Amino acid sequence: MRPLLLSLALLVAAACSSTAPRPPPTDRFVYPAGLVYRSVPGSTNGVLYVASANFDRCFDDGTLMAVDLDRVGADDTNRLPALGSASGAAVDITQLNVAPESIRTIPSYAGEMALWERTDGNAPRLFVPTRSDGNNVYYVDVPEPTRLCSGDGCAEGRVSLDDVPGSANDVPRAPAPFGVAVDTGGDLWVTHLDPADAPEESFEAFRSYVVRLSGDAPSVSSDNFVTLSTPDLPMGGNSVVLDERYVFVTGRFTGGVTSLSQRFLVRVLDRTDTSRLIDPGLDVGFAALDARGLALTERVASRPQRLYVAVRAPDSLLLVDVQGIESTSDTPRLTVVGSVPLPSGPTEVRLVPRGATRSELVVVSCSAAGVVAIFDPDVGQVVAQVQVGNEDATETPQPFGLAVQQQGNAARIFTSNFGDGRVSVIDIPDLANPQLARLVARLGTRQDLVGSTTCQEVQQ
């Protein structure tokens, strides 16, 4: 009887082990991805919202954290330095000191993130596309800068882009939602990385979309799916930016998934008539494998409006002059006017305004190189490349998401290090001299040192 009892005990132990909860850690990031910075009155450093992707599925969920940057660190000697005041080596700040009300679990595989600052007096709302089961867009209200929604009538929820009322033959749907943008009126647009086959798992009749949602009351039907596919144009979708009338979407190479060899760099959609899909033909003027992040400058009379696009193979920053995108114009025109070589793996793009008389600085996370590059259009070249990891690290930090804090004539750049599990902090003390940009801090604990060990322990 004893061997039988022992076998039963082992089976019970195995069952308990396989179903035991694996909550994500609350004291560190796990494959951080999307970032949003928010300035807070009365705060020196503001708040940083960080989405952890839980990429290796070591835990049951990812996390969304509201990090009070005034509270990080163990003591006065290990705090985040005031913008522009740092000297010497970058400080490693491992204690995040995030309060329980500042943490929410979210689905795994988070992508980009967007904050809707409402103008109707309601609480701001964060949106995070996630690529795990259900392919959800997660959203949460932020009733206070460091308190994520918890009761009191504020909203928290998710919308699946897989389970779509009105679909037929398994389309439309949006596998692997990734890019997100929202305007002040709550018009929300979401891209997806993987094209949708019809029916699912047939690997035939691939289609791609941008999903348009109401930020105020997110829900989905087949009417929310705006096609990126036409008979004569290839498919894809990575990141998205909005102007008052037009939507700009970059194309990510999908040859490994669909066996298609074609690609596009940018497509343009008309918000007033979403049946209008425009391919401006940028890939004719510049042949790159695919495009990732992008950023659109403000409209200023003294210089052309410009779209900056991070492209790969060759790894470059594409400079695109944009005309005819006013709300009254039916004829948007995009023209490639130059390109700048970048370190390997350009991913996300953010702008740092410098006033009406100077061009915006262009900040690019370069994941494979482990650097953040800064391009100055007034100089016409990359003026700084800041290494964001440790010099002795064996793994590339893989900088991904970017967020910007501005204070007078200085700026602070935050980048999520997907590879090493931290957020790096770069200061530009004087925007007139961006070549002085330097790494001043890293927030969080290195997952490239503890991640695999922790995962093995949790999964046992």
Side-chain angles (χ1 to χ4, degrees):
M1 183 65 69
R2 180 167 296 179
L4 177 58
L5 290 175
L6 180 59
S7 298
L8 289 174
L10 290 173
L11 287 172
V12 171
C16 290
S17 175
S18 63
T19 60
R22 297 177 296 154
T26 58
D27 60 349
R28 66 183 178 96
F29 311 123
V30 181
Y31 293 97
L35 295 180
V36 168
Y37 174 80
R38 185 179 178 191
S39 179
V40 177
S43 170
T44 300
N45 295 301
V47 175
L48 187 69
Y49 302 105
V50 184
S52 284
N54 186 34
F55 186 71
D56 58 3
R57 297 303 290 262
C58 184
F59 307 101
D60 292 330
D61 303 287
T63 59
L64 177 62
M65 293 186 182
V67 182
D68 185 342
L69 296 173
D70 288 346
R71 296 186 67 244
V72 297
D75 51 47
D76 290 340
T77 62
N78 191 234
R79 299 289 187 185
L80 189 63
L83 201 165
S85 68
S87 60
V91 58
D92 288 319
I93 303 174
T94 58
Q95 294 193 26
L96 300 177
N97 301 322
V98 180
E101 66 270 15
S102 301
I103 305 172
R104 288 290 171 269
T105 58
I106 63 174
S108 297
Y109 305 147
E112 299 177 358
M113 179 163 52
L115 176 67
W116 178 26
E117 293 271 17
R118 303 196 211 190
T119 58
D120 59 3
N122 288 314
R125 180 169 288 181
L126 285 164
F127 299 95
V128 190
T130 60
R131 306 189 298 278
S132 59
D133 298 341
N135 289 305
N136 294 283
V137 177
Y138 177 87
Y139 61 92
V140 59
D141 283 353
V142 189
E144 299 172 12
T146 57
R147 181 168 74 87
L148 303 180
C149 178
S150 180
D152 300 329
C154 59
E156 177 182 18
R158 64 190 68 183
V159 178
S160 172
L161 303 186
D162 264 350
D163 186 13
V164 181
S167 63
N169 204 29
D170 295 330
V171 290
R173 69 183 199 282
F178 182 78
V180 61
V182 61
D183 67 12
T184 55
D187 194 20
L188 179 70
W189 295 74
V190 182
T191 66
H192 63 107
L193 298 183
D194 297 341
D197 51 354
E200 188 173 3
E201 298 185 359
S202 68
F203 295 95
E204 295 179 351
F206 286 100
R207 307 173 192 184
S208 289
Y209 308 91
V210 182
V211 186
R212 185 180 195 176
L213 302 172
S214 166
D216 187 57
S219 63
V220 67
S221 73
S222 58
D223 294 336
N224 296 105
F225 285 72
V226 180
T227 186
L228 284 175
S229 306
T230 71
D232 299 320
L233 298 176
M235 300 168 245
N238 188 88
S239 297
V240 56
V241 297
L242 309 178
D243 196 54
E244 55 186 1
R245 176 169 174 177
Y246 293 98
V247 179
F248 302 87
V249 182
T250 56
R252 188 162 178 161
F253 180 64
T254 57
V257 177
T258 68
S259 76
L260 296 174
S261 61
Q262 293 179 301
R263 77 278 181 263
F264 73 89
L265 298 183
V266 175
R267 285 196 182 146
V268 184
L269 286 163
D270 188 342
R271 285 208 261 181
T272 66
D273 178 5
T274 55
S275 66
R276 289 189 67 206
L277 174 63
I278 303 165
D279 190 322
L282 299 187
D283 53 313
V284 175
F286 189 92
L289 179 65
D290 69 353
R292 300 300 176 99
L294 75 169
L296 181 67
T297 65
E298 297 290 336
R299 192 171 293 113
V300 178
S302 59
R303 57 181 179 272
Q305 192 168 13
R306 181 164 287 177
L307 189 70
Y308 292 98
V309 187
V311 301
R312 294 189 178 185
D315 294 349
S316 307
L317 181 67
L318 208 58
L319 286 54
V320 181
D321 277 358
V322 181
Q323 297 174 304
I325 63 170
E326 301 83 4
S327 60
T328 57
S329 174
D330 295 328
T331 55
R333 300 179 300 282
L334 279 64
T335 307
V336 177
V337 296
S339 65
V340 180
L342 288 174
S344 57
T347 302
E348 294 290 293
V349 182
R350 292 292 181 273
L351 301 178
V352 182
R354 296 189 291 177
T357 60
R358 305 200 66 178
S359 298
E360 299 89 339
L361 294 176
V362 187
V363 181
V364 186
S365 58
C366 299
S367 297
V371 308
V372 169
I374 302 174
F375 171 71
D376 187 344
D378 293 345
V379 177
Q381 64 185 29
V382 172
V383 295
Q385 298 184 38
V386 182
Q387 293 280 346
V388 298
N390 292 76
E391 293 182 358
D392 60 346
T394 58
E395 300 291 335
T396 304
Q398 298 178 42
F400 171 70
L402 293 168
V404 178
Q405 172 192 2
Q406 287 200 245
Q407 183 177 304
N409 194 43
R412 172 164 283 174
I413 311 300
F414 301 91
T415 184
S416 57
N417 296 345
F418 190 84
D420 74 17
R422 297 180 293 179
V423 171
S424 290
V425 185
I426 298 168
D427 277 6
I428 308 175
D430 180 5
L431 293 178
N433 295 284
Q435 68 274 10
L436 301 178
R438 59 184 300 271
L439 182 72
V440 299
R442 288 173 288 248
L443 309 177
T445 302
R446 284 179 63 180
Q447 72 189 13
D448 59 330
L449 297 182
V450 304
S452 60
T453 301
T454 302
C455 195
Q456 290 170 3
E457 291 174 353
V458 169
Q459 290 180 341
Q460 287 177 352

